Amino acid sequence: MSYSTDKIRNVAIAGHGQTGKTTLFERLLFSGGAIAKAETVESGKTVADSSAEEIERKISIYAAAGRVERGGAKINLFDAPGSSDFAGEVVLSLRACEFALVAVDGRAGAQIETVKLWRALDAAKKPRGIFVTKLDDEKADFARALADAREKLKADPVPVTLPMFAGGAFSGVIDALRGKAYTLGGAGLEKECAIPDEYKAAVDEAREKLVEAAAEGDDDLMEKYLESGTLSLEDMEKGLVRALALGKYVPAFAGAALANSGLLPLLDFVAGAVPRPSDSSEIALGADGKGTEAAFDSAAPFSGLVIKTVNDQFSGKLSWIKVVTGELAPDLEAYNVSKGKKERVGKIYLMQGRKIEETAKLCAGDVGAIAKSATLETNDTLAAVDSCPPFAPLRLPEPAHSVAVNAAAKKDEDKLGQFLVRTAEEDKTFKYFFNGETKEMVISGMGELQVGIILDRLKTAQRVEIETRVPRVAYRETITKKAEAEYTHKKQTGGSGQYGKVKLEIAPLPRGERYQFVNAIFGGSIPKNYIPGVEKGVVEAMIHGTMASYPVVDVEAKVVDGKYHPVDSNELSFKLAARSAFREAMKLAGPTLLEPIANLTVFVEEKYLGDVMSDLSGKRGKIQGQDSAGGIAEIRAEVPQAELMRYSIDLRSITSGTGSFSAAFSHYAPISGRIADDVIKARETFKLQEADE
């Protein structure tokens, strides 16, 4: 059965690890009648955590999709991992939805990954709500959790459901929007009951805040509210949808997923009061690279964005796609706009975890999967017409942890390469490249856990034994002052000889300018047709510097004079002369080493702040700024890349596994003294090893 755009709701469940997101996802599917039995994470049989790695580690690694039907609406649910190592899966889940449900532990409150997620939602202006989990735990406190969220997230949650207690123990929730109470259902569904008298005042207060929030979303409703002092349920849902889409309030829900509590009122709210795809838009890129809004419109020709690629051992390659315009049907002749290739769409599926179900079509705003596509990859735009502009790609964070790898046996090198290609296709936060400078295959991911899981899969599934080590750093060389040198290349053979004389002046450029060549020859001392040879010689000389044979950057090379022979001169002669002249000049120009510097952002609990700052100081880091709120600190620093190769391991040790960070290349900076000496010695050792091989 297919659903029209106005009947579709897309919801991502996200938050800090161990807040019960997968359990909430599982129990929502059960409460909505999509599955016959709800499993536990410990059983290894949940809909979301179905891979061998997830079952073994009892954590979510991959985003999972499922769906339920409620109140005439189709609710697409996305379960996103909680660890920062799998941030790419969170990004795709949020891109697929119009509403994010952030799980907050009723005992611990808003934690580090929750704060980071909330800031990302702020930046994306994504409507979101809070679900306070595990309220059946005696240490949990709904009011305290919301107060913590107010402080750390800078938000003001408006309760939609309130917890009930009997004899001091959690007994169910009250839906303040619909005026219903639900007691614990045990192994079954929640049971509707009358609201206990002692909660009626609190419910009236909560409903009044919801009425005000609804009125804020619509001018006509505001007038109606001011005239009558209240709104009907239908009017409230209409206003709440608009207010949520405008980011004017944050709904909050109480519950205990493992006890099947708080789920039915949540589903009712999603079906009635969560923004539809038509309340949102996608970003289409023009020829100039600028983005314009593209509305979700079923009447327009088909177009959609591939948000995830999965290589399933049973189903083969599956391309998750969110339909933006028109309808996607099987056997459609379409275009992969991103690659400029035709693509015939085969069968289309809906996902329920790893299980897939064939469907007749997907309308605008819906999410499904295309099977066995020939060309589609994550971030590709598929459309009925090739003139459709591509949609903006997922905004993924840069990898923060790298490892150099090679197959232990040469016969496995091809298998290793194929595995890396396939993995990078599935997970766009995983990258690999061969570093020609260091002669290493380097793989990079968001953290040690993500990289470790990928390597484990390589060993177990592909039966490839690999060797790993910390990658070598790609240093650079530059100069600190002006210098000049000349060199004459002269070679006489039996026939015509080789002759070229070049005089160069070199000078430092601002950091990041890389290279500039200037032809300052006047009077024809070097004919114009030989100048390209001079520049080629300079470029070749810059490949290997004079200190440690690292590439040279940020240098201006000016050819000021020279001499040629009418018979023996040629372009090769001037190239060889320029190469040697540059090397001689560089020795006189105060050569120095440059190391890559990264911008580092660290999130830690305040109790670890001193230890983290001290560690960064020991890593030659320069603190650029610091913010603290609600017991969580954000540290911004510039740190040499060489000091960050094992930072995910170091930070985990310092913060007992609670810290999180992101890093991105910033610039190159000079190094000298003992550090430079160590780099030069290590480079010499590497060159000797390379020569032996």
Side-chain angles (χ1 to χ4, degrees), residues 131 204 215 299:
F131 189 93
D204 289 342

mmCIF file of all heavy atoms in Angstrom, residues 131 204 215 299:
data_model
loop_
_atom_site.group_PDB
_atom_site.id
_atom_site.type_symbol
_atom_site.label_atom_id
_atom_site.label_comp_id
_atom_site.label_asym_id
_atom_site.label_seq_id
_atom_site.Cartn_x
_atom_site.Cartn_y
_atom_site.Cartn_z
ATOM 1 N N PHE A 131 12.262 12.637 24.105
ATOM 2 C CA PHE A 131 11.605 11.515 24.762
ATOM 3 C C PHE A 131 12.472 11.108 25.943
ATOM 4 O O PHE A 131 13.601 10.639 25.755
ATOM 5 C CB PHE A 131 11.429 10.333 23.807
ATOM 6 C CG PHE A 131 10.567 9.228 24.361
ATOM 7 C CD1 PHE A 131 9.214 9.198 24.101
ATOM 8 C CD2 PHE A 131 11.112 8.233 25.160
ATOM 9 C CE1 PHE A 131 8.408 8.180 24.616
ATOM 10 C CE2 PHE A 131 10.321 7.219 25.685
ATOM 11 C CZ PHE A 131 8.955 7.194 25.408
ATOM 12 N N ASP A 204 -3.935 19.938 33.219
ATOM 13 C CA ASP A 204 -4.522 21.194 32.735
ATOM 14 C C ASP A 204 -3.428 22.218 32.431
ATOM 15 O O ASP A 204 -3.496 22.932 31.415
ATOM 16 C CB ASP A 204 -5.491 21.764 33.775
ATOM 17 C CG ASP A 204 -6.769 20.941 33.890
ATOM 18 O OD1 ASP A 204 -7.052 20.157 32.962
ATOM 19 O OD2 ASP A 204 -7.478 21.073 34.912
ATOM 20 N N ALA A 215 -1.289 27.958 19.208
ATOM 21 C CA ALA A 215 -1.732 29.289 18.781
ATOM 22 C C ALA A 215 -0.576 30.088 18.185
ATOM 23 O O ALA A 215 -0.770 30.886 17.256
ATOM 24 C CB ALA A 215 -2.343 30.041 19.957
ATOM 25 N N ALA A 299 3.078 16.109 -7.806
ATOM 26 C CA ALA A 299 2.589 16.408 -9.155
ATOM 27 C C ALA A 299 3.718 16.640 -10.154
ATOM 28 O O ALA A 299 3.506 16.566 -11.366
ATOM 29 C CB ALA A 299 1.683 17.636 -9.110
#
